[in-house]
Amino acid sequence: MRNILITGGTVFVSRYMAEYFVKKGDNVFVCNRNSRPQPEGVTLIESDRHALGDKLKPYQFDVVLDVTAYTRQDVECLVKALGDIGQYIFISSSAVYPETLSQPFQEEQECGPNSIWGDYGTNKLAAENYLLEKVPQAYILRPPYLYGPGQNLYREPFVFDCAEEEREFYIPGDGSMPLQFFHVEDLCRFVQVLLEKQPQSHIFNVGNPEAVTIGEWAALCYQAVGKEMKTVSVDKSHPQRSYFCFHDYGYVLDVSKQRALMPDTKPLVEGLKEAYEWYRTHKQLVNKKPYVTYIDNRIRQ
């Protein structure tokens, strides 16, 4: 049994991770402000990560899974509060790659500002750099779009709503923009692989090996609901984020290093069915956006 500290633990990825490792038999601690219900089977350390003081000193953690750090300060506060550090795994982001680089993005490429993601990407990169300076044995994971049960962002849930209402789906252009996904369970599985195999590489792109177009993805979301999708193409005169759940930015990661350690990933069609089954009974937990209002008032004829 390992002592695992997970930052957050109440929303989507961090909650799924906490529940996953509890089921694996680990002793899971979560660090959050106790503003939401906690997962079953965890030990709560109630605190803001920026004001930890000595709250972590009584514990000895074998593993730290840092899911909620967005800035260098976020990581710095946790590292200083931990004292002795065992294994540290930081969930970063593919937003650290400038959009001007050749694709698929590879871990060895030079990271820097990305005009689509702005400060989010540069802050994640600063957090990575600080962590590797202070904890050289740490692992950094750079996922694309994460999905699965517990998704609180209005991405696939938006399409599920459209499918349930049997709406036509308004899609940017010809629907050919590529997207890459990674199921939250596969993220947990890969963390488990890192802990068991301790590879020499410390930075990994993670994700499904294949990208899909936005048209293919939306059709699979409709399929998960049991509906057939009919699309309406929307031209560039409408800001994409006003009616659609992703930026006008397609990119693909090279995940060959991940696949060498974990060859299999959950098929997207299966993962979306799981996501929909969760969403059907947890709609109140999703942060919805007014995409349909924009479509009906500004686009729909």
Side-chain angles (χ1 to χ4, degrees):
M1 179 183 291
R2 296 168 297 197
N3 286 344
I4 298 180
L5 173 66
I6 297 178
T7 59
T10 60
V11 177
F12 191 27
V13 178
S14 62
R15 186 181 190 90
Y16 195 103
M17 277 194 166
E19 293 171 345
Y20 178 91
F21 285 102
V22 165
K23 291 176 183 176
K24 290 291 184 183
D26 291 301
N27 192 19
V28 176
F29 298 78
V30 296
C31 180
N32 60 66
R33 291 171 292 182
N34 200 20
S35 59
R36 294 185 175 93
Q38 304 296 323
E40 290 187 9
V42 304
T43 299
L44 171 65
I45 301 173
E46 185 175 344
S47 180
D48 186 309
R49 69 182 295 155
H50 296 134
L52 283 163
D54 294 331
K55 288 190 176 181
L56 301 183
K57 297 298 189 215
Y59 305 97
Q60 182 66 45
F61 301 110
D62 303 300
V63 183
V64 175
L65 301 181
D66 195 351
V67 185
T68 61
Y70 292 95
T71 68
R72 172 187 168 128
Q73 183 187 17
D74 292 343
V75 174
E76 185 174 358
C77 289
L78 184 59
V79 167
K80 288 182 176 179
L82 281 168
D84 292 335
I85 298 176
Q87 185 60 70
Y88 194 122
I89 298 178
F90 172 43
I91 310 303
S92 185
S93 171
S94 54
V96 301
Y97 295 110
E99 76 276 19
T100 52
L101 294 178
S102 60
Q103 296 191 33
F105 296 142
Q106 298 177 327
E107 294 92 340
E108 294 79 15
Q109 289 176 297
E110 185 175 355
C111 296
N114 181 302
S115 66
I116 304 298
W117 296 112
D119 289 344
Y120 173 74
T122 53
N123 285 339
K124 280 282 193 180
L125 183 58
E128 285 188 11
N129 291 337
Y130 175 85
L131 179 60
L132 290 179
E133 176 187 343
K134 299 298 182 180
V135 190
Q137 75 274 20
Y139 288 103
I140 290 170
L141 305 186
R142 296 171 177 168
Y145 295 110
L146 293 166
Y147 80 107
Q151 171 68 279
N152 64 315
L153 300 179
Y154 205 39
R155 291 174 178 165
E156 53 270 14
F158 164 55
V159 191
F160 295 154
D161 281 347
C162 292
E164 286 185 338
E165 297 170 14
E166 298 186 345
R167 295 177 59 94
E168 295 176 315
F169 193 70
Y170 286 71
I171 201 160
D174 62 1
S176 62
M177 188 181 82
L179 296 173
Q180 193 171 15
F181 293 92
F182 199 43
H183 195 282
V184 65
E185 182 181 359
D186 286 333
L187 179 64
C188 294
R189 289 176 56 235
F190 190 65
V191 167
Q192 183 80 18
V193 168
L194 291 181
L195 296 176
E196 291 174 355
K197 297 188 176 181
Q198 298 286 312
Q200 290 186 350
S201 295
H202 284 264
I203 299 177
F204 287 89
N205 292 338
V206 293
N208 291 350
E210 69 285 341
V212 294
T213 68
I214 51 176
E216 291 168 338
W217 170 78
L220 288 175
C221 290
Y222 269 70
Q223 181 180 323
V225 181
K227 303 292 183 179
E228 185 176 345
M229 183 180 70
K230 295 181 180 179
T231 62
V232 177
S233 177
V234 181
D235 62 35
K236 293 282 189 180
S237 64
H238 295 279
Q240 184 164 306
R241 291 291 280 136
S242 297
Y243 67 92
F244 187 65
C245 47
F246 292 104
H247 289 284
D248 184 11
Y249 172 53
Y251 70 93
V252 180
L253 300 172
D254 181 337
V255 294
S256 56
K257 287 186 177 181
Q258 167 207 304
R259 293 193 72 196
L261 296 172
M262 189 181 79
D264 61 311
T265 53
K266 189 182 294 290
L268 188 57
V269 62
E270 180 182 332
L272 287 171
K273 287 180 180 178
E274 293 177 3
Y276 178 60
E277 286 304 308
W278 178 87
Y279 178 61
R280 288 175 59 200
T281 55
H282 298 84
K283 294 185 178 183
Q284 75 282 2
L285 300 180
V286 176
N287 301 319
K288 297 195 175 185
K289 301 285 186 180
Y291 301 134
V292 168
T293 300
Y294 185 92
I295 289 168
D296 289 346
N297 294 340
R298 302 291 297 275
I299 302 177
R300 197 172 187 179
Q301 301 299 318

